[in-house]
Structures are given as structure tokens and as C-alpha cells.
Amino acid sequence: MEKIVSLCKRRGFIYPNSEIYGGFAGFWNYGHYGVILKENIKCLWKQRFIFDHENMFATDTSIISNPKVLEASGHISNFGNEIFKTEVGTGEEITISHLRPETAQGIFVDFKNVIDSHHPKLPFGVGQIGKAFRNEISPRDFIFRQREFEQMEVEYFVKEAEWEKYFEMWREIMNKFAEEIGVKSHELEVPVDERAHYSKRTIDFQFDYPFGRGELWGLAYRTDFDLKNHNLDYFDEENGERIVPHVIEPSLGVDRSVLAVLASSYTEDELGGEPRIYLKLAKNIAPVRAAVFPLLKNKPELVSKAREVYVMLKKEFPNIEFDDNGNIGKRYRRQDEIGTPYCITIDFDTLEDNTVTLRDRDTGEQERIAISELFSKIKA
Ligand code: ATP
């Protein structure tokens, strides 16, 4: 874990919060590459959990709500001391509210609005990505247990009789998502006495972190608990009756996903007789897709050709990097630690025949290919 934390800081993925003042337990800052890695994971989640399905809607609800929301949801009575209290307003008009401990309640509270806007038939769902806050007693293990973190949650509304079918559907989607981001997860059926107060079935997706096995994500059957608490229901046109839909909730922590991705991809090996560290990130989530280098920094013709290739690739892939700092070996080492799948070097032969050297991150092998082949190579 120390090696991962150190790489994250060194290369600009994640920094301790308020570091110059000694840090602040439970809070972390994402740097440039961390932001892009996290964004790539969130984009893939949006694709797989929202856009790939019919009847899935996106939302972005506020962090602070009318205090009645968390009273009705049972959070104040069950977790009151773990919730961040805040004062809304000034002077005599103060309302005590709390920062949300999960994004889910915002979705439940908007249930009627979504129905009025989109008239969806059951089953349908609403997904959102957003910050959540818990005053954890012992924040620890880097970004595993924070006081401020981010969630990607779906609330999927179904008829009671169909809950098992859709529980299985989301279970499979979560397993595929883990695979796609290169994370090996382990399912754990959570026993009755350890489930949250609202759940009739929960599967924890666990991960072997450097400090041991722990929760990565959760899949819960929340029954009709939340909609009932908020006095919400649904008019079922098929049977002409009002019913309270039941809820399946795939809940994924963004930061724990980032940590699992980092821990899964952190690799130490030897290349050309030298020890090296690299991140074996899946191409679709790597913060830098490819880096373009001129062989020598002080040869204007190489630099201008390299910039030409860089600009051309950047039109297709936004995350292409140009690097002419230090010698080539140093540049490779830096890109390996960031997890860049490909490095492209422009040398004197390029000026003659429009070919470049393409280096593969995992094997360190280099091949000579035409500039015109770069797009398809990098995309694959
Ligand atoms: P744990 O048992 O580890 O405290 P939880 O069961 O309370 O987690 P949930 O309420 O199911 O977690 O929250 C859904 C997801 O949000 C978790 O699977 C995890 O990915 C993420 N999460 C929860 N608490 C934290 C935290 N303090 N820091 C970072 N991520 C968190």
C-alpha cells in the first residue's frame, strides 16, 4: 500500500488533503492523472449502468436537502452521529440539515418528478454519481475509508414479484464492469444480521486490497422501504392499481474502484536488466492513451514532426501527451508509472519514411510502424 500511495503522490494521482498543514484524516485530493483515471471509470460506469439500457435515467441531486429527507429515510435515527451536521441559512432563519451519507435518497425523493417527466413503465431506474459524506470514526487505508467520497448509484424500480430476476441482472452487470476495469472481485452473500436495516438481500463485492479483503461495492434489495418511508407510489396502468415498487440498488464507490484499479495494476518487474514499476491499466481507463516523443529535444525538425503527430492523434484521442523532458529512458519510466499503454518516438528515419517507433508498455517491445497505422494500433 505504501508503494501505491507513494506512486500516487509522485506522479500526480492523489495527494493528502491539506498536506502543508499536516493533512486532515479522511480527506484526499485528486491530482491531474487521478482526475482523468477517475473520470474514465465514471464514464464507463455511465455507459454500462445507464446508457446501455432502456428506461434508465440520469440525475444529479443536491448534497444538502430538506432535513425531512434523512429523517424519513431512517438515517438520522440509525446513523445520526455519523452524519455531518450543517447549518443552512443565517441569523434567525437557520435550519439544521446534514450532508448526504449516500446519493440514493436524492433519487427516491425525485421519484414522482421522474415519472411525471418520462412516464416510464416498470422496471425503470435512475442513476447518479456524486459525493457522499460520513463522519467515519476511523478513516484509514488511503482512499478506502474516507469522510468525503464519491458514489455511483442506481435505484432500479421493479414489481415485487420480479425482484430476483433484476437482482441477478445487476449482479451480472457489476461483475462485467469489474472485469472491464481489470479488477477481480469476490462475491459475499451478506448474512441477515449484518445487512443494512432496509435490505432483504445484499451481496458485497469484495476485493483483495493490499491490507486484506474488504468491500468494494454493494448490491442490495432495498424492498419498498424507501418509497414507503417517503409516501411515494406508482400507478400501474396494466392492472389499473397503485403499487409501491421495490428497489434493487447497485452501489459503487468511485474511490474504492480507483484504489482497486491501482492495486490490480501496480506491477514491479525487470526490463532490460533494470527494475521498473508500471501500472498495467486497461487501455480504456488509462489517463494517458499514448505519449509522443521527439528522440532529441534540441533538433527542431524532430520536435516539429513530433508535434505534428501529437496534434493529429489528439484530434481522435483527447488524452495524448507530448513529452520531450530528459532522455528517452526517463520518459519511458515516467509513462510506465502513469500506466500509458503506448509510447511513440519520432527519430531521423521518421523524417525520411514517415515511420515511428511504437513501444508497448507491458512488454517493453518496440516495433516500427507507419504513422498512418497509429490510429488503428492505439484504438485496438
Ligand atoms: P463499509 O462496510 O466498508 O463501511 P458500507 O457497507 O457502509 O461500507 P455502503 O453504505 O454500501 O457501504 O456504500 C456503498 C459503497 O460506497 C461502498 O460499497 C463503498 O464502495 C463506498 N463507501 C462507503 N463508505 C465509504 C467510505 N467511508 N470511503 C470510501 N468509500 C466508501
Side-chain angles (χ1 to χ4, degrees):
M1 187 66 132
E2 274 159 31
K3 288 176 173 175
I4 293 171
V5 175
S6 148
L7 183 147
C8 283
K9 187 176 164 197
R10 183 166 73 246
R11 294 301 182 190
F13 282 84
I14 299 165
Y15 307 117
N17 179 276
S18 320
E19 195 182 10
I20 59 166
Y21 293 106
F24 200 40
F27 300 91
W28 294 86
N29 297 345
Y30 281 78
H32 180 70
Y33 294 121
V35 169
I36 305 174
L37 174 62
K38 188 160 77 148
E39 203 52 45
N40 290 346
I41 292 171
K42 290 197 275 186
C43 271
L44 193 63
W45 178 89
K46 276 182 214 157
Q47 191 61 46
R48 296 291 175 253
F49 287 73
I50 299 184
F51 304 135
D52 278 357
H53 310 274
E54 276 181 50
N55 268 353
M56 275 301 306
F57 304 95
T59 191
D60 183 355
T61 68
S62 68
I63 285 166
I64 299 171
S65 293
N66 186 312
K68 286 183 185 149
V69 174
L70 292 179
E71 280 163 25
S73 68
H75 281 92
I76 298 297
S77 49
N78 284 291
F79 310 106
N81 56 352
E82 285 171 34
I83 299 188
F84 278 96
K85 202 186 251 184
T86 187
E87 291 184 353
V88 181
T90 54
E92 303 205 335
E93 296 296 310
I94 285 174
T95 303
I96 301 293
S97 188
H98 297 84
L99 307 189
R100 66 182 176 196
E102 58 175 24
T103 62
Q105 294 307 319
I107 297 179
F108 295 127
V109 171
D110 265 356
F111 181 75
K112 193 174 172 306
N113 286 330
V114 171
I115 290 174
D116 291 346
S117 300
H118 306 285
H119 309 286
K121 286 209 167 64
L122 291 175
F124 72 92
V126 181
Q128 91 166 312
I129 298 179
K131 290 267 180 153
F133 302 80
R134 295 183 193 175
N135 219 342
E136 300 275 3
I137 300 160
S138 55
R140 60 186 161 79
D141 299 318
F142 195 26
I143 52 173
F144 175 80
R145 188 169 302 287
Q146 292 168 274
R147 289 180 166 140
E148 172 177 345
F149 57 99
E150 211 170 356
Q151 293 184 315
M152 310 184 275
E153 294 195 303
V154 163
E155 306 305 324
Y156 198 68
F157 303 100
V158 303
K159 290 189 175 171
E160 183 177 6
E162 293 185 322
W163 78 266
E164 277 161 311
K165 176 174 149 190
Y166 292 110
F167 191 91
E168 287 307 316
M169 181 184 94
W170 286 107
R171 183 179 184 179
E172 196 180 323
I173 292 168
M174 291 170 81
N175 276 310
K176 280 200 180 139
F177 184 69
E179 211 173 289
E180 219 175 337
I181 59 172
V183 164
K184 189 169 168 36
S185 64
H186 306 270
E187 291 187 1
L188 171 79
E189 189 75 46
V190 180
V192 186
D193 53 335
E194 288 173 30
R195 287 199 292 252
H197 58 286
Y198 49 72
S199 176
K200 262 203 184 156
R201 187 180 177 195
T202 300
I203 291 180
D204 278 356
F205 288 71
Q206 298 192 305
F207 177 75
D208 289 322
Y209 298 96
F211 56 82
R213 191 167 281 195
E215 180 174 331
L216 174 62
W217 308 323
L219 173 63
Y221 166 41
R222 287 181 85 125
T223 69
D224 55 1
F225 179 85
D226 300 276
L227 290 183
K228 260 195 179 152
N229 280 340
H230 294 301
N231 280 322
L232 291 160
D233 64 6
Y234 173 90
F235 183 68
D236 180 17
E237 282 177 13
E238 249 170 52
N239 301 314
E241 57 179 3
R242 299 206 76 84
I243 57 168
V244 180
H246 281 231
V247 171
I248 308 295
E249 179 194 65
S251 175
L252 288 73
V254 176
D255 312 86
R256 285 192 193 174
S257 304
V258 170
L259 181 55
V261 162
L262 289 169
S264 304
S265 59
Y266 182 93
T267 315
E268 291 178 355
D269 70 354
E270 208 173 87
L271 196 65
E274 295 274 325
R276 72 151 177 170
I277 294 170
Y278 72 105
L279 293 183
K280 204 173 181 166
L281 294 172
K283 259 180 238 172
N284 55 346
I285 57 169
V288 179
R289 186 69 164 222
V292 181
F293 311 152
L295 181 64
L296 300 166
K297 189 181 182 170
N298 56 1
K299 296 284 176 208
E301 62 275 35
L302 291 184
V303 173
S304 91
K305 186 72 185 173
R307 289 213 68 90
E308 205 181 282
V309 172
Y310 163 74
V311 168
M312 178 192 89
L313 290 175
K314 213 169 165 60
K315 277 189 191 139
E316 181 83 358
F317 308 97
N319 53 345
I320 301 287
E321 205 167 88
F322 182 87
D323 189 1
D324 60 2
N325 274 317
N327 64 35
I328 287 278
K330 239 184 171 167
R331 294 182 220 164
Y332 283 152
R333 250 196 319 282
R334 180 168 168 272
Q335 295 298 336
D336 281 346
E337 289 202 355
I338 297 165
T340 306
Y342 299 109
C343 290
I344 299 157
T345 305
I346 276 71
D347 56 23
F348 291 104
D349 287 342
T350 313
L351 305 176
E352 302 293 322
D353 61 5
N354 271 318
T355 63
V356 295
T357 303
L358 183 75
R359 176 188 179 268
D360 181 276
R361 175 195 64 201
D362 301 345
T363 61
E365 276 168 19
Q366 303 186 13
E367 58 175 324
R368 197 79 201 170
I369 67 163
I371 289 177
S372 56
E373 286 177 78
L374 278 175
F375 276 126
S376 53
K377 257 297 202 234
I378 293 175
K379 200 168 202 138

